[in-house]
Amino acid sequence: MIPKDEIYHLLDKLETNIADDLESQQIDFKQWNTRSFDDNVKLMLKMAICMANGGGGSVVFGVADKVKGRSNAILGVPQDLDTTILQKRIYEKTDPHLTPVFEDIVVPEGSKRLLLMNVYPGMPPYTTTDGAATIRQGKDCIPFTGTLRRQMVGTSTEMDFTSEVIYEDWTELFSPSAMERIREIMSRERVDQTLLSLSDKDLLESIGALKDGYLTKGALLLVGKPDAISRILPQHRWSYRKMMSDTDYSLRDDGTQSIPVALYELERYISVDNPVVTIESGLVHPEFSTYPTIALREALLNAFGHRDYRIPGTIMLKQYKDKLILTNPGQFIGGITEKNILHHPPVARNDHLMDLLDRLKLVNRSNLGVSRIYRSLLIEGKEPPVYREVGNNIELTFIASPLKKGFKNIVDALTNEGKILDVDHLLILQYLLRHEQIDSTVASTVAQRSVEQARELLSRMNNDFNLIEPVGRGKGRYYNLTRYSYGLLEEEMKYERQQRLDREAIKIRILSILKERDLTNKEIRQMTGLTSKQVQRLIKELKSDGVTVTGHGAGTKYTFDE
């Protein structure tokens, strides 16, 4: 982006140059249309997409680009112009969403206000919601054609910001305390002792952090001094808030330390208010935290590893009484959404940084990070994490749900039988604890799978694990927890109650259909999953409600008689 000081310097040049002469790949000047607000929004939208596709840039609104002389060229923008409205309109009309940053520039000429729009580089291509797009090439915004888009996608791996080399003496940038934290984590993860025994320089070279004797930007984020990181990567910042309400906090901290040190500090803050529950199990009394360590560490490392380091912002951790909210700058990329994040193939914005984290055993590149977060929570019967895209940030929420001993009984019992529940099964079980019944459509949403895959999941949980049982047939089929499941949950009476409720639901359903048409024994069996004898008993119970039997044998029909 072009700093405001540089903008003021360029404005001084208008005495002897027209604005068009001062434009470049990263800077453009545009005149404000005093007659049509919508036309100005359309122009801003076009320029935002153009700059984003071209690697980012700045646009100054309020300057005529073909007029020489400051007083003639600087016309300004309205003093009452609301930039939040402009930002919202651009965000809504772009795909993926763009959120430009606006700054005021005070000048003595015209309306005395210019508007600077900074568009930070992201992961192009960007278009309007109608599919239109341009791209910055030199001083021009040219049509972003299919050929150009294919070329961009083909070279996207070359756009990794964290792989750029810093041509400075690496020893002056290096932080021994950051390296110490890295070695502690590597030791805890039982990394090969040969790797741990290497000198700092040899270790950095072996993982690709040093290239021809120079650190990469990704390496600086791992082993750099805070002042070096602040100078070279000012976008890197982390913050912690101990929240008393949505607007007030009792404790705060902000830092620019390297990722391993930031990880240590944030975990330390969380641990102060992360209650532990102890469960008696024979001679062993295992302890369980409200927020499992695995889930927290994976979430924090994902936030640092996947944040967009080309835009300003901070990785913010807010700790409330009943939840944790972690946000990091950047949007979902590569087709990932909050509805498919659990099973989507891995996509890395910062491929080099993630590769370094993987080689140091801080993360796993096999798309296991999100699954580990889910599993570490679900295996204790806790609420699953909630991912959202909020503006230009990814938000992850952990609910402070208590450990459910009965849920863990189910997991332990099946594990002892050699049956392993994966995340999909755990999500369905968690849902059934709160809703008591589930069908294949709901299961597909809960497990982030297709409806066909959801049917297979439900079938296996019924046939192989005996955890759920079907009620009804065909499109009306749904599933409840079995007596076996309720027994492990130590809620036997709840099973009996649910069975009564299911029988009542079937009676109401059959009675409502009989009020419209006659039914046979076979038709009722198909609808409910009952046996022929069970159907006969059901009809006897419905006789008091006006149901009669006509015919004999295969010709028997059940009729509602008002």
Side-chain angles (χ1 to χ4, degrees), residues 300-427:
L300 288 168
L301 283 169
N302 278 350
F304 283 107
H306 292 295
R307 75 146 287 176
D308 193 337
Y309 286 98
R310 292 168 293 188
I311 63 176
T314 182
I315 291 176
M316 172 67 75
L317 179 64
K318 293 182 178 180
Q319 186 169 10
Y320 296 81
K321 262 189 174 181
D322 59 348
K323 61 188 174 184
L324 283 176
I325 298 180
L326 176 64
T327 58
N328 63 272
Q331 299 170 323
F332 288 123
I333 61 172
I336 295 176
T337 70
E338 55 263 37
K339 295 181 180 179
N340 66 14
I341 190 171
L342 181 56
H343 300 298
H344 195 284
V347 181
R349 174 184 281 112
N350 309 308
D351 198 64
H352 174 64
L353 174 59
M354 293 303 293
D355 192 43
L356 294 179
L357 289 170
D358 179 41
R359 293 184 182 187
L360 292 170
K361 303 303 179 185
L362 273 69
V363 299
N364 186 293
R365 294 298 303 275
S366 302
N367 198 32
L368 297 178
V370 174
S371 294
R372 282 177 174 170
I373 293 172
Y374 271 84
R375 184 173 182 80
S376 63
L377 292 164
L378 293 168
I379 204 168
E380 297 176 9
K382 297 177 179 178
E383 294 284 332
V386 179
Y387 286 90
R388 289 199 311 152
E389 188 176 273
V390 183
N392 218 30
N393 293 273
I394 304 298
E395 178 185 277
L396 170 60
T397 301
F398 290 147
I399 307 298
S401 46
L403 171 74
K404 290 185 174 65
K405 182 180 178 182
F407 194 96
K408 198 163 188 319
N409 287 342
I410 291 178
V411 176
D412 292 343
L414 288 173
T415 300
N416 291 335
E417 295 175 16
K419 300 174 181 178
I420 304 300
L421 291 173
D422 62 25
V423 173
D424 294 338
H425 303 132
L426 293 170
L427 280 166

Side-chain angles (χ1 to χ4, degrees), residues 222-272:
L222 293 178
V223 298
K225 295 177 180 176
D227 59 344
I229 295 175
S230 297
R231 176 172 58 84
I232 299 170
L233 296 170
Q235 305 93 324
H236 172 71
R237 189 174 183 83
W238 59 267
S239 300
Y240 172 83
R241 301 289 184 272
K242 177 71 175 293
M243 305 301 295
M244 299 167 59
S245 67
D246 286 339
T247 55
D248 298 317
Y249 55 83
S250 59
L251 177 64
R252 67 169 289 173
D253 192 12
D254 303 278
T256 59
Q257 293 98 326
S258 63
I259 292 174
V261 177
L263 184 69
Y264 172 79
E265 293 295 333
L266 290 170
E267 287 183 336
R268 184 170 61 85
Y269 279 125
I270 296 170
S271 66
V272 174

